[in-house]
Amino acid sequence: MIEPPTEAATIDGRSIVPEPGETILAAARRLGIEIPSLCAGPEQRPAPEWRPEGGCRLCTVEVTGVERPMAACHTALAPGSEVRTRSERIQSVRREILRLHLSSYPRLHVAPETLLGRLLAEHGLDAPERPLLRDRLDESAPYLRFDPDLCIVCRRCVHACSEVEGQDVFDVAERGASVRLICGEDDLLAHSDCTSCGACVSRCPTGALFDRDRDPLAFEPATSRTESVCGYCGVGCRVAVESHEDRVLRIGGVEDAEVNRGHLCAKGRYAHAWQHSPDRLDRPLLRRDGRLEPASWEEALDFVATRLSRIRDEHGADALGVFTSSRSTNEAAYLLQRMFRAQLGSNHVDCCARVCHSSTALALQQTTGTGAASASYVDVDRASCIVLAGSNATEAHPVIGARIKQAVRRGADLIVIDPREIELAGWAEHHLALRPGTNVALLNAIARVLVEEGLCQKDFVDQRCEGFDALYEFLARSSLEEAAEITHVRVAAIQAAARRIGAGDPVLFVHGLGLSELVQGTASVMALTNLGMLTGSIGVPGAGMLPLRGQNNVQGNADMGGMPDQITGHQALADEDARARAERLWGSAPPLEAGKTIPEMLDAAREGSMRALWIQGEDVAQSDPDETHVLEALDALDLLVVQEMFPTETAARAHVVLPAAGYLEQDGTFINGERRIQRVRRAVAPPGEARPDWEVAQEVAQRLGANRRFEDPAEVWDEIAEVAPRLFGGVSYARLEGDGIQWPCPEPDHPGTSTVHADGFIRGKGALVCVDHEPSPEHGVEEHPWLLVTGRVLHQYNVGTMTRRTPQQELEPEDRLEIHPGDARRLGIEEGDRVRVTSRWGTTEVPADVSHRVPHGVLFLSFHQPGSHTNRVVGPHLDPASHCPQYKATAVTIEPV
Amino acid sequence: MTEPVRGGAAERAADSFFEDAHWEGVTRVCRGTSCQLAGAEGVIEARATLGDCRPVHCLGYCDRSPVALLADGRVATGDRAARAEPELADAALPDVRWLTKEPVVTARVAMGCHSPITRALDAGVWSTLPQFLARGPEAILAELVRSGERGRGGAGFATAVKWRACAAAEGEEKFVVANGDEGDPGSFVDRVLMQHDPHAVLEGLALCAFAVGARSGIVYVRGEYPAAAAALERAIEEARDHELLGPAVCGTDFGFDVRVVRGRGSYVCGEETALLNCVEGRRGEVRLRPPYPVTRGLHGRPTVVNNVETLVNVPAILSRGAGAWRALGTRASPGTKALCLNAGFARPGILEVGFGTRLRDVLEDAGAEGIEAVLMGGPLGSVVFEEDWDLPLCYAELAERGIHLGHGGLVALPADTDWREFVIRALDFARRESCGRCAPCRLGTERAFQAMQEPGDPREELEAIFEAMRHTSLCAFGQLIPGPLESVIQRHETRIFGP
């Protein structure tokens, strides 16, 4: 253990106490002293995985008492030492190194805005007047361009790709003066493992690696820079949006952001072309004579308010329902549920969390007392053991996926539970490739090994949990052999993984929809939570439960009350204090009885008892299971109000379409998967007459007699904090600069909560639960012997409404059915062949992707393209408790077309 | 554990780094300093007309320059190097002499080849190991501390300090590595030891492993020394048969085995971290230090890397005792050093001297008539002119004059040396062998080489380049390349650049 030094050192005469192992470069940066470097990345706060390259030697400094100059990037700052960063000798060798670059790369064009250009100027060297030749470009990939003429082999990209994204696309060939950057197998980015994350571009000091949508000759002047939050997945990366005249020029990661530390994925960094897509909805549409036609906002809003009132008057409030949007802001979701509950008197409020993590939320709520992540992303860095269950993080949550790779590189053990050979399975110590829909059996088997072999944290369980004896007896009744037969995972593999999980250190459980989107979804997450308690992991830093949330604001949407049985802040409808606050603030309290869930509302619509639905930013026609059934339901409505950015399948069925602003175009807040409330800011104007969702909800609410008019989203948030003081009482916009705050944050001086349940479970005692494996209704269906899993791929986002309108579509142009090569051979299916997939619920045709990623008998299909109709095939089964659909196991047959 | 090599580019990156990639069936002609001075360019020209031929920097026969290594592994030296069908030079040992009370490291090779284990055992090789297996690791370390032994590879680091650090390092698995990458043109003693006294290398390595707690060892042999690698592989087999290597060394519970790793053609891989990268299948670039190999070496495990000559010294030190060893050298540099004398001397060969011997005595023994200077310690060493010939050969006193003994290769530079050509050839070597990791070295060596060819006076530019290289290069290669060139330029400015 290194004792923290207390003795100061000086850098250019300024005193600083070095942190243990801190380099001179890092310490100088802390002092705001810039030591020039071409190879050290811009990391303000070097992550543990960041290794210095030490190649450019520009950061050489003088250390008193040391004869030779030392490289600041890999020399520790010794207490008591005196460092001079700009002596005459140092400046002269730096100038010579820079001059050598110019004389050694005769085709190097130096743009003054680049880092190299700036360093030349600082050292009194003129950039040579050379043309930018651009005749050797690699433009094989849609976003990134490589120009070997501009490459000075500083290797920043090599480090960024390896240490940030974990991809190792780049390396260096030859030696001496002949060294050159190479990538992949054949030096074409498109053929390499490049994920287009752009980490290399953001660090390149010369523009050799550059965004294709920008011209390296013209570094366009960005006239505004707006810090906001990415609007794709629930990771919630902080972005800096540079724009000019209401057009996005580029998006970069915020370097010191807690969530993403400057990193972004291809979607976050590059996929913003949807913003000016020609088919953006830019004025309201009203259905007249069966056709959607342009209308004024006044007409549209009046129409919505009038029709809602009329339907309520004729059929009662029970005939009205709303899906609040997980893509929009908290303020938008809050106002919409407020209007339905208070002005219209309906609790039929739900959100798309229903069809993804509702099982997770319910299970965690019941067992721990909070239906959200107990841990934070920072725990990925701290963890010594990570269990990744039912989550393909590198594709669905790329920035967290990359962070898991970083953790593994630092020595954390990874255990992957997933039917497919996902990318992270290749990084894992143990991969349990279970049969789809058998999580409960597998997780119970692991629990059995823990209990049987004395690998539980007995003190934690005794002091903090309840139900251990019952669980012990319950587990004793099962056998590992049975589990192996159900899950298709060998007993020895279960034991080996369990022994690592029970090795004694707390474990971080990162989980996803592979657990929740099953009839046994809630049971699966409860069985996983059992492991969290048995290993003493919940409420402990570097460990706990970390479900990865799908949409940018799906956590926030549920937190705002986008649920039929809870109002804002996860407060029960029957909670007297909550009701009193709602009545005071909203003008009236919500009905006592819980409303319907999304599947129930759709059922009710088809039956005719639900007459009006308001769908905010969600394309249920493509995203929800049993597509035929969904379309019938929508078509049966008297009123379908859709707030949308694009003419989706759902919007096409609407009576009113209200054009919406996207995440780059509005103010408000999102809450990410680690409960972090962050500010979203308008970077560019929405197109035409499109308006932020919160404004639209407010306009209709006004027409329905709302008790209050809000001036801006900040006022809306203040009311949210007042309605739900336990989670949000201490949060105001003034406190949401920078990295925001993680709820719960009950008081203005409360710092927010990184680790929930740290002082004991919120529920009181953590509940160990006995849940037995039950065969899925899709298991053992004789005439449909294959099991289909549906899910997401890296370069598309959900139903693709946005990503399909960007170059992402080029990276991932179609949904393809993954099938094991042995199965494909047996059926005579070859790569790219069209295949018909048929379940008891529907059929579709898609091209085949013959791949070892899936085991025998299992198929995988994404659902990003409307033409794939993946959800025609997915059946109607729901988890009975959470009403989450079973997307992750459907019995099908397949045949070549 | 260092992370595995991932990604499609990594393998290409490593393969393209090394010279040897596609050298099956090719004749290698030595272009080391000694052979250069003996007319290597003529040999290359003559050979090029006979078929595939590649110039390499030093084959380790500097006492018989020029030299060619034929595709079938045979060696042709002197006048025969350029011939289509050379009558082959015998694989005879170089002339081995000494200027010390008793020879140590060359004691056996002076008597001929001790490659067969029977001869090695007769000469007492492998007799020290069993004694010290019985006495325990600490006995080895303590004796080594007392001996003051310093590594013979060039840096002169205290061997006992290195071993102790590795012995103390945490780690289940540790490695020991014999560094047989004798890259300095002008040195060939390690080749001779590996080829003709391989059991002594293995015994030294086994003692090292026992002392630090390693169970596996590697002898890294330059790709240019195929006969040495083959001799070591034979010796390893023999040692296993005699239970001197294997799961139970000498019937004890100490298990230790060794494999030979052949270098792939890179001077920089003589540096220990670059060597380890090469063994791991990576580019032979130096690593940033710290961490040092003794804590994080091969595959991230604690590792001792020692030069071949150092390891051969170890059994001799332990069997004689530290006191006897110290009596052979000076206080600060105990023991002896094997010097290599190239064909430019009247009596070339290997000369083992006690530390403290005057350079002039060495040169007199070697026959240095008509010689203006000696290049000592290879391209990173020093050009020593006559005013420094009275200095004693030992690390400290040479260092005071800015002179590097290096690995102890001495190349005679005659009075009629073409100094301009000398500088250009040295820069050509440097630019070809620079690993490319740090900018001042990879760009500076190339630019300096180009500047020497271009019209105009390059002196100012060379000065600036050398200044940057010396002060900022990542490793000793870039830092030390300018030294000998600057002293030559200073002495012979007009002969090099004109009046």
Side-chain angles (χ1 to χ4, degrees), chain A residues 52-53 55 57 68 89 96 99 105 152 155 168 171-177 179 182-185 187 409, chain B residues 9 12-13 16-17 19 265 283 285 288 432-434 437-440 442 461 464-465 470-472 474 479:
Chain A
E53 168 60 28
R57 315 308 288 173
R68 267 175 41 74
R89 174 170 74 152
E96 178 60 15
R99 188 196 67 81
Y105 297 103
I152 56 170
R155 310 194 192 189
D168 299 298
D171 213 316
V172 169
E174 314 291 339
R175 71 185 190 205
V179 290
I182 56 172
C183 80
E185 303 283 352
D187 290 345
R409 285 221 159 137
Chain B
R12 285 199 293 144
S16 66
F17 181 89
E19 281 281 316
R283 295 169 59 76
E285 297 182 350
L288 301 182
R432 287 172 192 275
E433 293 294 348
S434 166
R437 177 154 182 187
C438 81
R442 73 163 190 270
E461 185 176 7
I465 290 172
R470 187 173 42 243
H471 288 315
T472 68
L474 175 56
Q479 291 162 16

Side-chain angles (χ1 to χ4, degrees), chain A residues 156-433:
Chain A
R156 278 187 183 212
C157 53
V158 179
H159 282 263
C161 191
S162 173
E163 285 151 38
V164 179
E165 179 70 352
Q167 282 304 93
D168 299 298
V169 165
F170 299 108
D171 213 316
V172 169
E174 314 291 339
R175 71 185 190 205
S178 309
V179 290
R180 63 190 170 83
L181 191 70
I182 56 172
C183 80
E185 303 283 352
D186 61 0
D187 290 345
L188 283 178
L189 279 167
H191 294 177
S192 74
D193 293 335
C194 174
T195 60
S196 298
C197 74
C200 54
V201 171
S202 73
R203 286 163 176 77
C204 181
T206 60
L209 279 157
F210 208 75
D211 302 336
R212 278 189 67 184
D213 58 356
R214 288 192 285 150
D215 185 344
L217 273 183
F219 277 72
E220 311 90 327
T223 46
S224 91
R225 179 181 184 278
T226 312
E227 286 201 3
S228 190
V229 182
C230 179
Y232 283 103
C233 78
V235 173
C237 295
R238 284 177 63 199
V239 294
V241 185
E242 292 178 42
S243 62
H244 178 64
E245 288 178 353
D246 277 329
R247 198 175 162 102
V248 177
L249 293 178
R250 57 185 155 266
I251 296 179
V254 172
E255 278 304 331
D256 59 355
E258 193 67 49
V259 170
N260 54 311
R261 296 175 177 158
H263 193 36
L264 291 175
C265 70
K267 285 170 284 198
R269 192 184 299 274
Y270 293 117
H272 50 74
W274 60 266
Q275 195 270 330
H276 51 266
S277 169
D279 63 346
R280 277 292 294 271
L281 297 172
D282 57 1
R283 47 188 175 162
L285 302 173
L286 259 180
R287 188 168 297 278
R288 292 187 177 109
D289 303 328
R291 289 177 42 204
L292 282 170
E293 288 178 356
S296 73
W297 271 107
E298 284 302 309
E299 276 179 288
L301 295 169
D302 288 346
F303 176 85
V304 172
T306 315
R307 294 290 291 273
L308 282 173
S309 309
R310 194 194 303 157
I311 291 169
R312 182 194 48 191
D313 295 346
E314 287 174 8
H315 301 280
D318 255 1
L320 310 176
V322 60
F323 302 177
T324 53
S325 176
S326 299
R327 309 299 312 282
S328 196
T329 60
N330 289 315
E331 292 74 7
Y334 171 78
L335 287 182
L336 200 54
Q337 65 89 36
R338 182 188 195 270
M339 173 175 80
F340 269 75
R341 289 201 154 109
Q343 273 79 60
L344 294 169
S346 167
N347 270 332
H348 302 318
V349 181
D350 206 1
C351 73
C352 74
R354 182 65 50 206
V355 295
C356 61
H357 263 307
S358 57
S359 309
T360 307
L362 184 65
L364 291 174
Q365 175 79 40
Q366 290 186 353
T367 54
T368 71
T370 299
S374 79
S376 298
Y377 302 149
V378 70
D379 292 312
V380 175
D381 308 341
R382 299 173 180 157
S384 54
C385 180
I386 300 173
V387 172
L388 184 74
S391 161
N392 184 6
T394 53
E395 297 206 52
H397 303 88
V399 169
I400 295 302
R403 208 147 150 186
I404 292 174
K405 291 185 193 171
Q406 293 164 17
V408 173
R409 285 221 159 137
R410 272 198 308 280
D413 291 324
L414 178 66
I415 294 151
V416 168
I417 299 176
D418 201 296
R420 298 166 71 214
E421 184 87 23
I422 55 170
E423 186 189 356
L424 284 172
W427 292 65
E429 197 82 6
H430 306 276
H431 174 209
L432 306 181

